[in-house]
């Protein structure tokens, strides 16, 4: 069986959790999936906002990726829209994903539950749940052939 050793600093810089940037092995060992949750939150922001996380951030103008990484360690996060353009609960979930403390981030199971609850609320607004695009099995599926999703727990 392959070792699941954690290596700091490996990955795409704009999605890195602070503990990965500074190679905090203790945090990465105590909360091994928390850095993935952080990255997921940054990616979710990019998908919902329609642009790279720090491209429109006033603090990041004319900054190198190295400087942005240091700002992330100091607490910089993408700017969330305040105009209500994101569905209810989504901004709060994304913010929880990139919490400063790894222990404060949700698990992937928590994220799935929150997204399923949001979907149910949207379906209820729709009246009949039509247009959900798939079966309940699809929503719970992991995309893995064996059904065991990566990061299903911590």
């Amino acid at each position: 069986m392959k070792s699941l050793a954690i290596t700091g600093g490996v990955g795409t810089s704009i999605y890195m959790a602070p503990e990965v940037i500074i190679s905090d092995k203790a945090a990465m060992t105590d909360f091994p999936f928390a850095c993935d949750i952080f990255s997921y939150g940054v990616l979710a922001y990019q998908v919902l906002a329609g642009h790279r996380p720090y491209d429109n951030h006033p603090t990041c103008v004319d900054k190198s990726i190295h400087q942005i990484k240091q700002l992330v360690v100091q607490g910089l996060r993408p700017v969330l829209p305040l105009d209500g353009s994101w569905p209810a609960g989504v901004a709060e979930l994304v913010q929880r994903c990139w919490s400063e403390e790894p222990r404060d981030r949700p698990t992937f199971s928590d994220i799935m539950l929150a997204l399923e609850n949001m979907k149910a609320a949207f379906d209820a607004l729709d009246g009949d749940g039509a247009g959900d695009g798939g079966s309940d099995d699809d929503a719970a599926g992991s995309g893995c052939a064996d059904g065991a999703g990566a990061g299903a727990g911590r």
Side-chain angles (χ1 to χ4, degrees), residues 131-150:
D132 67 355
S135 70
D136 290 339
D137 292 338
D138 292 341
S142 66
C144 295
D146 64 0

Side-chain angles (χ1 to χ4, degrees), residues 33-47:
F33 295 106
C35 60
D36 295 330
I37 299 294
F38 185 96
S39 298
Y40 172 82
V42 177
L43 179 63
Y45 171 88
Q46 180 172 339
V47 168

Side-chain angles (χ1 to χ4, degrees), residues 116-133 136:
E116 288 169 355
N117 288 338
M118 287 180 216
K119 181 185 177 303
F122 292 136
D123 287 349
L125 289 174
D126 187 31
D128 63 357
D132 67 355
D136 290 339

Side-chain angles (χ1 to χ4, degrees), residues 6 17 48 54:
I6 298 170
L48 291 163
Y54 304 102

Side-chain angles (χ1 to χ4, degrees), residues 34-78:
C35 60
D36 295 330
I37 299 294
F38 185 96
S39 298
Y40 172 82
V42 177
L43 179 63
Y45 171 88
Q46 180 172 339
V47 168
L48 291 163
H51 60 82
R52 290 167 36 119
Y54 304 102
D55 282 357
N56 297 338
H57 200 292
T59 306
C60 298
V61 174
D62 298 324
K63 297 275 195 273
S64 71
I65 193 65
H66 177 72
Q67 290 168 316
I68 292 171
K69 284 170 53 176
Q70 294 312 306
L71 290 169
V72 168
V73 169
Q74 296 168 16
L76 177 78
R77 301 295 182 267

Side-chain angles (χ1 to χ4, degrees), residues 67-152:
Q67 290 168 316
I68 292 171
K69 284 170 53 176
Q70 294 312 306
L71 290 169
V72 168
V73 169
Q74 296 168 16
L76 177 78
R77 301 295 182 267
V79 177
L80 292 167
L82 300 175
D83 62 2
S85 60
W86 287 17
V90 172
E92 186 269 334
L93 178 62
V94 167
Q95 277 187 303
R96 285 182 52 219
C97 289
W98 65 44
S99 293
E100 186 68 28
E101 291 296 323
R103 77 175 125 272
D104 295 336
R105 297 177 198 148
T107 64
F108 278 116
S109 295
D110 295 335
I111 293 168
M112 284 297 300
L113 180 61
L115 293 174
E116 288 169 355
N117 288 338
M118 287 180 216
K119 181 185 177 303
F122 292 136
D123 287 349
L125 289 174
D126 187 31
D128 63 357
D132 67 355
S135 70
D136 290 339
D137 292 338
D138 292 341
S142 66
C144 295
D146 64 0

